[in-house]
Amino acid sequence: MEFTRSHQLSARLRSLIPGGAHTYAKGIDQYPEFAPHVLARGRGCHVWDIDGNEFIEYGMGLRAVTLGHAFPQVVEAVRKSLDLGTNFNRPAAMELECAETFLEIIEGADMVKFTKDGSTADTAALKLARAYTGRDMVALCAEHPFFSYDDWAMCTTTMDGGIPEVERSMTLRFNYNDIESLRRLFLEKPGRIAAVFLEAVRTEEPGDGFLQGVQALCREHGAVMVFDEVITGFRFHLGGAQQLYGVVPDLAIFGKALANGFSVSALCGKREIMRLGSREREQDNVFLLSTTHGAEIPALAAAIATMHVYRSEPVVEQLYRQGERLQRGMLEAVRRHGMSDYVTIAGRPCNLLFGTRGPDGQPSQAYRTLFLQELIRRGVLAPSFIVSYSHTDEDIDKTIDAIDGALSVYKRALDEGTDRYLVGSPSRHVFDRK
Ligand SMILES: Cc1ncc(COP(=O)(O)O)c(C=O)c1O
């Protein structure tokens, strides 16, 4: 396996684009040196790099491509939409169709507004909450690493350059599954907290009554409860975590899986709050997600087609089934190699994340990079083990074989160190929490 062109183009990318990619998670510092740094195309769950190497991919498109690359129904819908034109001076009929389809699936929401990114939709939720409550502060769940690239969220991380001090003073943090930590914030900052943001679930499941407790505290103290469903939506359950756990937030943000990789995100929720962006009454003065490209027709066509597939085929069931197959195979391989203390897997089967530890039992980027490298050598590109609807039994079984091979190198490296086995330097975190 050679990556000659990959390395050439990657150097050019980095000289022209800060970070070498349009998402830091795709950057060269996230992967081993021995890796496909530039991809040419994808189909199903397979991708080909520009040197012609083929890989089974996981976590495709940063979890956006839930159905599979170039998924036929989505491609066809987009192709047809291209003849309609892409953007007009008045709303397109497709905006209504997309909103109706979305709101039929996300039953707890009364209204929806589409935009391009999850980040901007999260920020819009905060703006609405501030306008609705007349307050300024926001409480974020500390264990949930990413809500938005905007200042109010990034100020809690080490990637906080260029953020004014005043933002930092507005953002508070509470802990997941620790209802007292949220109660304390409400008591310390009475009448100040506009919104509480969390993912209903990440890798740790919500404890008994936790989500209900967050909702009760928000109601008691007059704050807006916001679920970030950018990851959970259409993956953990068709109707998102809110339907999975039966707790409907005031506002929610969906993204990623909504349009199978096309750029559509959604802010949705209660009419009473959403209507502040409607301009119907004097007090409806929130400039809510108004952007030239917000209703780009091919992207909405992709969203409608994607939601249609979710409703007519057993997509979510298949994500769980294939994730379970992979989890089982991986855990067996890990046990066989006696590596249970070093290689772990966490999360629901539809959203599996692996952990890598060094000889001292501590999380290790060097060992993570080595594991990635050895999977790549065996034809698997897996920053996580997040499956898509296109992963077949054969893909999963080949991945389990690749894991088995990668573990034997990992095991030797536990005794001898990574230096002997790792090409280049360990990868880095995009950011750490402060
Ligand atoms: C939970 C969560 N919320 C929000 C976002 C931001 O979405 P986007 O990258 O579309 O701006 C992400 C992105 O990874 C995310 O994982």
Side-chain angles (χ1 to χ4, degrees):
M1 200 179 270
E2 289 205 358
F3 299 116
T4 317
R5 288 211 67 215
S6 249
H7 279 99
Q8 284 164 357
L9 290 205
S10 167
R12 275 168 58 197
L13 274 168
R14 274 172 291 142
S15 80
L16 299 178
I17 302 166
H22 288 86
T23 322
Y24 286 109
K26 295 186 184 184
I28 194 159
D29 61 357
Q30 300 300 297
Y31 284 85
E33 191 174 316
F34 183 85
H37 293 307
V38 185
L39 298 178
R41 68 192 173 91
R43 178 157 290 268
C45 67
H46 292 234
V47 289
W48 287 261
D49 69 11
I50 49 161
D51 289 282
N53 304 303
E54 179 180 349
F55 301 91
I56 302 170
E57 199 188 23
Y58 286 86
M60 298 148 45
L62 311 173
R63 291 185 178 89
V65 184
T66 309
L67 297 177
H69 296 298
F71 197 78
Q73 286 99 308
V74 180
V75 170
E76 192 45 36
V78 171
R79 211 192 302 279
K80 274 194 189 146
S81 81
L82 292 175
D83 285 333
L84 301 175
T86 51
N87 208 335
F88 314 117
N89 278 344
R90 305 302 314 279
M94 214 174 265
E95 295 181 42
L96 177 60
E97 187 184 348
C98 197
E100 282 174 345
T101 310
F102 180 90
L103 291 171
E104 277 165 22
I105 297 175
I106 309 304
E107 291 165 5
D110 304 319
M111 296 183 91
V112 60
K113 192 148 193 193
F114 297 115
T115 187
K116 289 301 181 192
D117 298 321
S119 289
T120 43
D122 266 271
T123 298
L126 176 55
K127 191 175 182 181
L128 269 182
R130 282 175 166 157
Y132 181 71
T133 59
R135 301 173 179 183
D136 51 4
M137 290 184 159
V138 55
L140 304 185
C141 182
E143 285 76 16
H144 297 165
F146 200 71
F147 294 101
S148 173
Y149 51 56
D150 282 326
D151 292 357
W152 61 275
M154 288 311 291
C155 68
T156 63
T157 76
T158 49
M159 285 287 275
D160 62 348
I163 298 179
E165 202 50 45
V166 64
E167 282 287 353
R168 273 178 255 276
S169 62
M170 293 293 138
T171 299
L172 313 170
R173 282 182 287 176
F174 66 96
N175 297 107
Y176 191 69
N177 273 340
D178 178 357
I179 198 69
E180 290 312 315
S181 67
L182 182 60
R183 196 190 311 280
R184 266 197 306 279
L185 290 185
F186 277 119
L187 295 179
E188 282 164 14
K189 307 286 180 192
R192 294 289 304 275
I193 299 174
V196 173
F197 276 70
L198 72 160
E199 294 179 80
V201 58
R202 199 165 168 84
T203 47
E204 185 183 341
E205 288 288 318
D208 258 0
F210 174 68
L211 298 175
Q212 291 81 352
V214 173
Q215 186 164 53
L217 278 178
C218 286
R219 285 184 182 157
E220 184 187 337
H221 295 275
V224 174
M225 184 194 198
V226 185
F227 276 177
D228 180 322
E229 297 245 33
V230 170
I231 290 176
T232 50
F234 307 101
R235 177 174 286 280
F236 284 53
H237 186 287
L238 175 59
Q242 52 191 274
Q243 279 184 40
L244 183 63
Y245 297 111
V247 176
V248 178
D250 300 312
L251 296 175
I253 298 94
F254 289 78
K256 299 221 188 250
L258 177 49
N260 200 44
F262 283 84
S263 179
V264 185
S265 297
L267 166 64
C268 64
K270 298 219 160 79
R271 183 176 306 279
E272 190 188 337
I273 307 174
M274 294 287 290
R275 73 183 299 193
L276 291 177
S278 74
R279 292 169 56 85
E280 280 167 13
R281 304 165 304 169
E282 185 90 354
Q283 67 267 39
D284 299 334
N285 64 351
V286 176
F287 200 78
L288 186 66
L289 292 172
S290 173
T291 168
T292 305
H293 297 293
E296 184 192 17
I297 290 184
L300 295 183
I304 294 166
T306 302
M307 288 189 278
H308 178 72
V309 177
Y310 289 147
R311 293 170 100 184
S312 57
E313 299 187 28
V315 177
V316 175
E317 290 90 324
Q318 174 79 348
L319 298 179
Y320 276 90
R321 199 178 77 82
Q322 297 307 68
E324 274 161 20
R325 188 180 181 96
L326 180 54
Q327 185 173 30
R328 223 175 15 251
M330 172 169 174
L331 286 175
E332 270 167 26
V334 167
R335 251 180 254 121
R336 249 191 338 271
H337 287 272
M339 306 262 293
S340 303
D341 290 341
Y342 305 102
V343 179
T344 56
I345 192 144
R348 286 192 166 230
C350 62
N351 188 56
L352 292 172
L353 305 176
F354 58 78
T356 49
R357 292 173 184 269
D360 58 0
Q362 293 305 308
S364 163
Q365 278 300 112
Y367 282 88
R368 173 180 166 83
T369 317
L370 179 66
F371 189 50
L372 250 71
Q373 170 190 291
E374 293 308 310
L375 290 172
I376 287 167
R377 215 185 273 293
R378 291 163 179 80
V380 175
L381 184 58
S384 65
F385 285 133
I386 296 168
V387 294
S388 76
Y389 187 46
S390 292
H391 283 82
T392 63
D393 288 356
E394 194 191 339
D395 293 313
I396 301 290
D397 294 346
K398 278 188 183 160
T399 305
I400 295 167
D401 286 346
I403 292 171
D404 192 61
L407 288 176
S408 28
V409 179
Y410 195 130
K411 190 168 185 182
R412 287 204 294 279
L414 280 175
D415 292 331
E416 301 167 31
T418 50
D419 284 358
R420 264 196 75 183
Y421 297 97
L422 183 61
V423 184
S425 317
S427 59
R428 299 197 298 161
H429 293 148
V430 173
F431 54 73
D432 290 307
R433 269 168 263 151
K434 274 181 142 180

